[in-house]
Structure formats: structure tokens, C-alpha cells
Amino acid sequence: LYGVGKQRTPIIFDNQCLSTGGQFFALITGRDRMAADLRPIAFSQCGLEVTVTCHPYDACCALLLHEADCLILMPDGSPFDAPMDDRSPVSFVAFASPTIRDHVWPAWEETLREMTTSG
């Protein structure tokens, strides 16, 4: 929001989205159909240090998605799996239902492939 520090990441982070828990809540309640956090991938593609991102503790309530029949996956479609620490950057893609995932997935894969192979 106010420039970057010595580590080339924002000094003050202004996120227009809800927190990770808020994104999960929006999926569970039907407000949103899909949520994704690709900051670790995007920052890496741009050669930036990954600091302002989702961490395992942000996504610790992912079990609630499962219990609500929502899906949370790694961006490549593998089961969601994050190390249990307080530093690792975490990417995810989550869907309000398997039907929505099935509908969106082909476009998701193409977009992710373009994002990670361009440059």
C-alpha cells in the first residue's frame, strides 16, 4: 500500500479480500463459489520474496470446508496439504461444491499453466 521495504514486499498490506477464514466462511455460506490464494506462486514468478501470504495457521480451519461438503485443494488439484508451522507460504484453491469444481477446473488449469509458464 505504501511502497516496498528492503525485502521488496509491501510495508503495509491492503487486502481487498477477506481473511482466509473469511473466504472459507463465504464458501460455506454460499456467498462465494470459489476462492484461491496464489500469492506464493505469483510472488515466486515475479522474483519477489514471499512474505505477505497465507500461512498454515490461516488455513487451519480447512476442516470446516470438508464438513460443509466444500473442497479445498492445492492449486495443482492434489489434496490440500500444508506443513504445520508458522512460516511456510500456502497456496490453495477452494470450491463451494464438487459440481462447481468440475465446471471451473478446465479453465483453472489453463490459467494456472499460463501463469506459471509465461515470463
Side-chain angles (χ1 to χ4, degrees), residues 22-115:
Q23 289 175 313
F24 291 175
F25 177 79
L27 288 166
I28 291 168
T29 60
R31 187 182 134 233
D32 290 348
R33 296 181 183 132
M34 176 187 168
D37 192 329
L38 300 179
R39 288 177 287 176
I41 296 169
F43 291 162
S44 176
Q45 288 292 118
C46 294
L48 298 173
E49 183 177 349
V50 180
T51 56
V52 180
T53 186
C54 178
H55 294 92
Y57 55 81
D58 295 311
C60 69
C61 57
L63 177 61
L64 295 173
L65 290 173
H66 175 74
E67 292 298 315
D69 294 324
C70 298
L71 300 172
I72 182 167
L73 305 167
M74 300 305 286
D76 66 2
S78 61
F80 181 71
D81 185 27
M84 294 310 297
D85 64 30
D86 63 349
R87 295 176 188 252
S88 296
V90 175
S91 290
F92 68 84
V93 59
F95 301 92
S97 73
T99 302
I100 293 169
R101 187 253 344 252
D102 293 347
H103 181 74
V104 171
W105 197 258
W108 173 259
E109 281 186 311
E110 181 179 341
T111 301
L112 188 61
R113 186 174 38 257
E114 288 176 8
M115 182 180 131

Side-chain angles (χ1 to χ4, degrees), residues 2-11:
Y2 293 104
V4 294
K6 295 176 185 177
Q7 298 167 331
R8 297 177 49 189
T9 56
I11 295 169

